[in-house]
């Protein structure tokens, strides 16, 4: 049987833009935890730290769809270079405000500026794959493998990122994790911006064209991912509180890394298979399995048991996310692809903000045991929305 991943990297330029995007989006698993570790070290409060992290995530959600729309209209390279330079300056301001104990409004303002200037590289790299594979004879299968591979990359990032940022912040300096994340974003984005050969061509806006979110199916997927973002954001903060309560906060990174490792392993298997079931059905089944995997997190009280079992809780994450990207790609017009994919990132960003904020306050008030009930509740709501809504409608082409 042919190796679908090997065939992907035979495409000219693919290895280079994948490598650049990998470096650039390495920070997506580091910034949220890095901010919590930095601000909690300075203030002593997970509630305040979670609120600052939530501000960053909300600002990212607000800015990402606008940047996705601009990338569709003007090209990724022209948008990325100025955006990432502004992001580097904003992250520097955030670190200085925290370390110098600036007024709270200054810390939150710097976090907002850092979030709104954070590029959505996951959407951009998937848009590049869709552009490069548009003329392939077996485009659907190739795109399935490409999206699966990108989910594997995401999970590798979420395995390595939490461990790196936790180690830097706890062993070197509380600000080291955020600083490293900023440098990775800067270098990766500039490298991707220079690769013009593989980027989708700019497409002017059509008269009367609405936003991608006006497509009914995109709204449903975005609503589900808002709730899944709350799952992921609350798990991060709850895990930090859980390991701190057990006297091993440095194990928060490995704990979250094991969850991501389970998801990445499933993504690699999922992408190598040719599926006959439609995307909609696979997405819904994935939601049910994802909720089942969250149940142990709400019940386990022993750190070492949690370390042993959390891998299995992650197995359904990528097989839920991959068909969601495929659904959006099939629903939106080609000249709105980056924007459409970015709506998933926007929804996740809002959910991450809400989840981090709620979990931070629950950890402070009731402990991590209560906090871990929140992601289970959000996951159940996501499954209900996914199963109760129609996903296959597409806006008529103009």
């Amino acid at each position: 049987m042919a190796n679908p991943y090997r065939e992907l990297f035979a495409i000219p330029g693919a290895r280079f833009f994948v490598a650049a995007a990998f470096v650039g989006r390495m920070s997506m698993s580091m910034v949220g935890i890095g901010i919590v570790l930095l601000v909690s070290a300075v203030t002593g409060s997970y509630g305040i730290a979670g609120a600052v992290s939530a501000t960053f995530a909300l600002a990212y959600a607000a800015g990402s769809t606008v940047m996705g729309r601009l990338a569709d209209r003007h090209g990724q390279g022209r948008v990325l270079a100025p955006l990432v330079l502004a992001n580097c300056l904003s992250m520097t301001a955030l670190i200085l405000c925290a370390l110098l104990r600036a007024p709270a409004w200054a810390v939150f303002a710097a976090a907002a500026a850092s979030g709104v200037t954070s590029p959505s590289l996951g959407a951009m790299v998937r848009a590049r794959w869709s552009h490069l594979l548009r003329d392939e004879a077996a485009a659907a299968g190739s795109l399935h493998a490409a999206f699966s591979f990108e989910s594997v990359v995401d999970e590798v990032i979420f395995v390595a990122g939490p461990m790196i940022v936790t180690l830097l912040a706890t062993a070197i300096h509380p600000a080291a994790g955020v600083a490293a994340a900023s440098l990775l974003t800067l270098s990766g984005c500039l490298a991707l911006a220079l690769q013009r050969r593989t980027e989708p061509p700019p497409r002017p806006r059509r008269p009367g064209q609405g936003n991608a979110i006006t497509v009914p199916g995109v709204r449903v997927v975005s609503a589900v991912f808002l709730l899944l973002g709350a799952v992921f954001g609350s798990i991060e903060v709850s895990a930090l509180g859980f390991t701190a309560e057990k006297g091993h906060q440095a194990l928060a990174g490995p704990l979250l890394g094991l969850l991501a490792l389970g998801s990445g392993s499933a993504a690699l298997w999922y992408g190598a298979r040719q599926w006959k079931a439609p995307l909609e059905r696979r997405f819904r089944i994935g939601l049910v399995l994802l909720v089942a995997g969250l149940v142990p997190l709400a019940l386990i009280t022993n750190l070492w048991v949690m370390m042993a079992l959390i891998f299995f809780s992650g197995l359904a994450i990528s097989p839920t996310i991959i068909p969601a990207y495929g659904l959006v790609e099939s629903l939106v017009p080609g000249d709105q692809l980056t924007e459409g994919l970015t709506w998933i990132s926007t929804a996740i960003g809002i959910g991450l903000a809400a989840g981090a904020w709620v979990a931070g306050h629950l950890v402070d008030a009731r402990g991590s045991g209560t906090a871990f009930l929140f992601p289970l509740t959000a996951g159940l709501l996501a499954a209900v929305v996914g199963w109760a809504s129609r996903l296959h409608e597409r806006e008529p082409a103009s």
Side-chain angles (χ1 to χ4, degrees):
M1 184 177 67
N3 186 328
Y5 301 117
R6 183 181 301 168
E7 294 173 0
L8 289 176
F9 286 100
I11 298 172
R15 297 182 182 184
F16 298 103
F17 80 74
V18 166
F22 170 76
V23 173
R25 71 189 203 260
M26 187 74 191
S27 62
M28 72 182 184
S29 67
M30 299 171 64
V31 175
I33 300 175
I35 289 174
V36 171
L37 290 169
L38 171 60
V39 177
S40 64
V42 173
T43 65
S45 171
Y46 280 105
I48 295 174
V52 176
S53 181
T55 300
F56 173 90
L58 278 174
Y60 168 74
S64 60
T65 54
V66 176
M67 299 307 167
R69 194 175 306 133
L70 290 174
D72 283 330
R73 301 291 168 261
H74 305 291
Q76 294 181 7
R78 291 183 63 185
V79 172
L80 271 176
L83 182 66
V84 74
L85 292 174
N87 179 256
C88 186
L89 293 173
S90 301
M91 295 289 281
T92 302
L94 174 59
I95 293 171
L96 291 175
C97 286
L99 294 180
L100 297 176
R101 298 181 181 271
W105 66 264
V107 177
F108 282 94
S114 299
V116 80
T117 56
S118 293
S120 183
L121 290 187
M124 290 187 182
V125 73
R126 286 173 172 87
R128 289 193 183 223
W129 279 122
S130 185
H131 166 65
L132 292 174
L133 297 171
R134 69 193 186 283
D135 296 327
E136 291 286 319
S142 298
L143 196 59
H144 164 73
F147 283 178
S148 298
F149 173 78
E150 292 304 327
S151 287
V152 174
V153 173
D154 286 340
E155 299 308 336
V156 170
I157 289 169
F158 277 96
V159 170
M163 291 188 284
I164 293 171
V165 72
T166 304
L167 178 64
L168 290 173
T170 57
I172 298 177
H173 191 277
V178 178
S182 178
L183 290 175
L184 288 168
T185 301
L186 178 66
S187 56
C189 287
L190 290 179
L192 186 63
L194 293 173
Q195 298 181 48
R196 299 297 182 90
R197 182 175 61 167
T198 56
E199 73 172 347
R203 299 186 182 186
R205 188 179 181 87
R206 290 181 275 112
Q209 182 182 31
N211 296 330
I213 196 64
T214 59
V215 180
V218 175
R219 288 200 297 269
V220 174
V221 175
S222 297
V224 171
F225 271 77
L226 185 149
L227 291 164
L228 292 182
V231 171
F232 304 143
S234 57
I235 286 177
E236 283 188 358
V237 177
S238 299
L240 286 166
F242 179 76
T243 53
E245 290 169 3
K246 306 302 179 184
H248 297 282
Q249 190 181 45
L251 290 178
L255 183 67
L256 294 169
L258 286 169
L259 181 73
L261 182 63
S263 179
S265 301
L268 199 60
W269 167 82
Y270 183 89
R273 292 176 59 87
Q274 295 297 322
W275 296 89
K276 295 182 179 179
L279 289 167
E280 183 177 345
R281 185 185 305 167
R282 283 182 268 152
F283 179 55
R284 287 172 168 164
I285 292 173
L287 286 170
V288 173
L289 296 176
L290 190 151
V291 172
L294 294 173
V295 174
L297 303 185
L299 300 177
I300 297 171
T301 58
N302 183 280
L303 174 60
W304 309 113
V305 175
M306 180 79 84
M307 295 285 288
L309 296 182
I310 198 170
F311 170 88
F312 300 98
S313 296
L315 289 175
I317 295 176
S318 282
T320 304
I321 292 175
I322 294 166
Y325 278 112
L327 278 169
V328 173
E329 193 275 338
S330 69
L331 288 167
V332 299
D335 57 357
Q336 289 184 296
L337 181 56
T338 306
E339 180 192 349
L341 294 173
T342 303
W343 274 107
I344 294 182
S345 302
T346 298
I348 290 178
I350 296 172
L352 283 169
W357 182 79
V358 172
H361 284 280
L362 287 174
V363 169
D364 282 344
R366 304 292 298 274
S368 62
T370 301
F372 269 124
L373 292 173
F374 182 77
L376 177 59
T377 303
L380 284 169
L381 288 174
V384 169
V385 172
W387 278 87
S389 306
R390 300 184 67 181
L391 294 164
H392 59 271
E393 297 97 333
R394 179 171 183 164
E395 187 181 61
S398 64

PDB file of all heavy atoms in Angstrom, residues 23 34 70 73 76 99 107 109 115 177 187 239 263 300 308 315 337 386 396:
ATOM      1  N   VAL A  23       7.742  25.322  13.158  1.00  0.00           N
ATOM      2  CA  VAL A  23       8.479  26.192  14.085  1.00  0.00           C
ATOM      3  C   VAL A  23       7.590  27.349  14.537  1.00  0.00           C
ATOM      4  O   VAL A  23       7.522  27.679  15.727  1.00  0.00           O
ATOM      5  CB  VAL A  23       9.767  26.718  13.420  1.00  0.00           C
ATOM      6  CG1 VAL A  23      10.439  27.761  14.309  1.00  0.00           C
ATOM      7  CG2 VAL A  23      10.720  25.568  13.134  1.00  0.00           C
ATOM      8  N   GLY A  34       2.606  29.314  29.458  1.00  0.00           N
ATOM      9  CA  GLY A  34       3.677  30.234  29.832  1.00  0.00           C
ATOM     10  C   GLY A  34       3.158  31.467  30.546  1.00  0.00           C
ATOM     11  O   GLY A  34       3.745  31.921  31.538  1.00  0.00           O
ATOM     12  N   LEU A  70      -7.693  38.778   5.358  1.00  0.00           N
ATOM     13  CA  LEU A  70      -6.657  39.567   4.677  1.00  0.00           C
ATOM     14  C   LEU A  70      -5.692  38.666   3.911  1.00  0.00           C
ATOM     15  O   LEU A  70      -5.231  39.017   2.820  1.00  0.00           O
ATOM     16  CB  LEU A  70      -5.893  40.401   5.706  1.00  0.00           C
ATOM     17  CG  LEU A  70      -6.666  41.561   6.343  1.00  0.00           C
ATOM     18  CD1 LEU A  70      -5.838  42.203   7.451  1.00  0.00           C
ATOM     19  CD2 LEU A  70      -7.047  42.596   5.290  1.00  0.00           C
ATOM     20  N   ARG A  73      -7.227  37.727   0.692  1.00  0.00           N
ATOM     21  CA  ARG A  73      -7.312  38.842  -0.253  1.00  0.00           C
ATOM     22  C   ARG A  73      -5.951  39.292  -0.775  1.00  0.00           C
ATOM     23  O   ARG A  73      -5.803  39.650  -1.938  1.00  0.00           O
ATOM     24  CB  ARG A  73      -7.989  40.054   0.423  1.00  0.00           C
ATOM     25  CG  ARG A  73      -9.387  39.779   0.927  1.00  0.00           C
ATOM     26  CD  ARG A  73     -10.395  39.567  -0.218  1.00  0.00           C
ATOM     27  NE  ARG A  73     -11.646  39.040   0.324  1.00  0.00           N
ATOM     28  CZ  ARG A  73     -11.981  37.753   0.304  1.00  0.00           C
ATOM     29  NH1 ARG A  73     -11.165  36.877  -0.236  1.00  0.00           N
ATOM     30  NH2 ARG A  73     -13.128  37.346   0.797  1.00  0.00           N
ATOM     31  N   GLN A  76      -0.574  35.413   1.932  1.00  0.00           N
ATOM     32  CA  GLN A  76      -0.080  35.155   3.284  1.00  0.00           C
ATOM     33  C   GLN A  76       1.192  35.929   3.591  1.00  0.00           C
ATOM     34  O   GLN A  76       1.365  36.454   4.695  1.00  0.00           O
ATOM     35  CB  GLN A  76       0.158  33.653   3.459  1.00  0.00           C
ATOM     36  CG  GLN A  76      -1.102  32.814   3.400  1.00  0.00           C
ATOM     37  CD  GLN A  76      -0.839  31.336   3.589  1.00  0.00           C
ATOM     38  OE1 GLN A  76       0.284  30.926   3.906  1.00  0.00           O
ATOM     39  NE2 GLN A  76      -1.858  30.506   3.389  1.00  0.00           N
ATOM     40  N   LEU A  99       6.992  41.321  34.887  1.00  0.00           N
ATOM     41  CA  LEU A  99       8.167  41.295  35.762  1.00  0.00           C
ATOM     42  C   LEU A  99       8.346  42.586  36.545  1.00  0.00           C
ATOM     43  O   LEU A  99       8.829  42.565  37.683  1.00  0.00           O
ATOM     44  CB  LEU A  99       9.425  41.019  34.928  1.00  0.00           C
ATOM     45  CG  LEU A  99       9.511  39.638  34.275  1.00  0.00           C
ATOM     46  CD1 LEU A  99      10.802  39.511  33.482  1.00  0.00           C
ATOM     47  CD2 LEU A  99       9.424  38.531  35.324  1.00  0.00           C
ATOM     48  N   VAL A 107      -0.819  44.925  32.106  1.00  0.00           N
ATOM     49  CA  VAL A 107      -0.587  43.501  31.830  1.00  0.00           C
ATOM     50  C   VAL A 107      -1.670  42.966  30.906  1.00  0.00           C
ATOM     51  O   VAL A 107      -1.390  42.271  29.916  1.00  0.00           O
ATOM     52  CB  VAL A 107      -0.546  42.697  33.147  1.00  0.00           C
ATOM     53  CG1 VAL A 107      -0.367  41.208  32.847  1.00  0.00           C
ATOM     54  CG2 VAL A 107       0.569  43.202  34.049  1.00  0.00           C
ATOM     55  N   ALA A 109      -3.582  44.716  28.882  1.00  0.00           N
ATOM     56  CA  ALA A 109      -3.473  45.353  27.569  1.00  0.00           C
ATOM     57  C   ALA A 109      -2.376  44.709  26.729  1.00  0.00           C
ATOM     58  O   ALA A 109      -2.553  44.479  25.518  1.00  0.00           O
ATOM     59  CB  ALA A 109      -3.188  46.849  27.740  1.00  0.00           C
ATOM     60  N   GLY A 115      -2.256  38.750  21.765  1.00  0.00           N
ATOM     61  CA  GLY A 115      -3.212  37.829  21.180  1.00  0.00           C
ATOM     62  C   GLY A 115      -3.704  38.256  19.819  1.00  0.00           C
ATOM     63  O   GLY A 115      -3.774  37.444  18.886  1.00  0.00           O
ATOM     64  N   GLY A 177       9.695  30.860  29.376  1.00  0.00           N
ATOM     65  CA  GLY A 177       8.801  30.128  28.485  1.00  0.00           C
ATOM     66  C   GLY A 177       8.108  31.042  27.495  1.00  0.00           C
ATOM     67  O   GLY A 177       8.030  30.729  26.293  1.00  0.00           O
ATOM     68  N   SER A 187      10.553  33.541  14.170  1.00  0.00           N
ATOM     69  CA  SER A 187      11.397  32.877  13.169  1.00  0.00           C
ATOM     70  C   SER A 187      10.570  32.044  12.197  1.00  0.00           C
ATOM     71  O   SER A 187      10.803  32.071  10.979  1.00  0.00           O
ATOM     72  CB  SER A 187      12.451  32.008  13.867  1.00  0.00           C
ATOM     73  OG  SER A 187      11.835  31.070  14.739  1.00  0.00           O
ATOM     74  N   ALA A 239      -4.771  20.921  35.044  1.00  0.00           N
ATOM     75  CA  ALA A 239      -3.583  20.069  35.186  1.00  0.00           C
ATOM     76  C   ALA A 239      -2.481  20.795  35.951  1.00  0.00           C
ATOM     77  O   ALA A 239      -1.780  20.187  36.774  1.00  0.00           O
ATOM     78  CB  ALA A 239      -3.076  19.643  33.813  1.00  0.00           C
ATOM     79  N   SER A 263      -3.431  11.814  21.233  1.00  0.00           N
ATOM     80  CA  SER A 263      -4.113  12.390  20.084  1.00  0.00           C
ATOM     81  C   SER A 263      -3.274  12.278  18.817  1.00  0.00           C
ATOM     82  O   SER A 263      -3.781  11.950  17.737  1.00  0.00           O
ATOM     83  CB  SER A 263      -4.438  13.853  20.379  1.00  0.00           C
ATOM     84  OG  SER A 263      -5.083  14.459  19.285  1.00  0.00           O
ATOM     85  N   ILE A 300     -10.016  10.592  38.584  1.00  0.00           N
ATOM     86  CA  ILE A 300      -8.709  10.180  39.117  1.00  0.00           C
ATOM     87  C   ILE A 300      -8.180  11.231  40.091  1.00  0.00           C
ATOM     88  O   ILE A 300      -8.206  12.429  39.812  1.00  0.00           O
ATOM     89  CB  ILE A 300      -7.707   9.960  37.963  1.00  0.00           C
ATOM     90  CG1 ILE A 300      -8.178   8.818  37.063  1.00  0.00           C
ATOM     91  CG2 ILE A 300      -6.315   9.668  38.508  1.00  0.00           C
ATOM     92  CD1 ILE A 300      -7.380   8.682  35.788  1.00  0.00           C
ATOM     93  N   ALA A 308      -0.526   7.621  33.946  1.00  0.00           N
ATOM     94  CA  ALA A 308      -0.603   6.354  33.219  1.00  0.00           C
ATOM     95  C   ALA A 308      -1.783   6.297  32.253  1.00  0.00           C
ATOM     96  O   ALA A 308      -1.702   5.644  31.203  1.00  0.00           O
ATOM     97  CB  ALA A 308      -0.693   5.199  34.214  1.00  0.00           C
ATOM     98  N   LEU A 315      -6.939   9.894  22.747  1.00  0.00           N
ATOM     99  CA  LEU A 315      -7.016   9.147  21.491  1.00  0.00           C
ATOM    100  C   LEU A 315      -8.114   9.642  20.544  1.00  0.00           C
ATOM    101  O   LEU A 315      -8.002   9.465  19.330  1.00  0.00           O
ATOM    102  CB  LEU A 315      -7.226   7.653  21.781  1.00  0.00           C
ATOM    103  CG  LEU A 315      -6.021   6.916  22.377  1.00  0.00           C
ATOM    104  CD1 LEU A 315      -6.401   5.477  22.724  1.00  0.00           C
ATOM    105  CD2 LEU A 315      -4.845   6.926  21.399  1.00  0.00           C
ATOM    106  N   LEU A 337     -11.096  30.165   1.872  1.00  0.00           N
ATOM    107  CA  LEU A 337     -10.661  28.977   2.596  1.00  0.00           C
ATOM    108  C   LEU A 337      -9.893  29.321   3.867  1.00  0.00           C
ATOM    109  O   LEU A 337     -10.167  28.766   4.941  1.00  0.00           O
ATOM    110  CB  LEU A 337      -9.800  28.098   1.684  1.00  0.00           C
ATOM    111  CG  LEU A 337      -9.296  26.794   2.315  1.00  0.00           C
ATOM    112  CD1 LEU A 337     -10.452  25.956   2.846  1.00  0.00           C
ATOM    113  CD2 LEU A 337      -8.476  25.999   1.319  1.00  0.00           C
ATOM    114  N   GLY A 386     -23.188  18.950  18.241  1.00  0.00           N
ATOM    115  CA  GLY A 386     -22.772  18.265  17.020  1.00  0.00           C
ATOM    116  C   GLY A 386     -23.813  17.288  16.503  1.00  0.00           C
ATOM    117  O   GLY A 386     -24.030  17.173  15.292  1.00  0.00           O
ATOM    118  N   PRO A 396     -24.834  28.821  -1.570  1.00  0.00           N
ATOM    119  CA  PRO A 396     -24.751  28.743  -3.024  1.00  0.00           C
ATOM    120  C   PRO A 396     -23.636  29.632  -3.564  1.00  0.00           C
ATOM    121  O   PRO A 396     -23.401  30.724  -3.071  1.00  0.00           O
ATOM    122  CB  PRO A 396     -26.134  29.268  -3.483  1.00  0.00           C
ATOM    123  CG  PRO A 396     -27.022  29.093  -2.286  1.00  0.00           C
ATOM    124  CD  PRO A 396     -26.139  29.280  -1.093  1.00  0.00           C
TER     125      PRO A 396
END
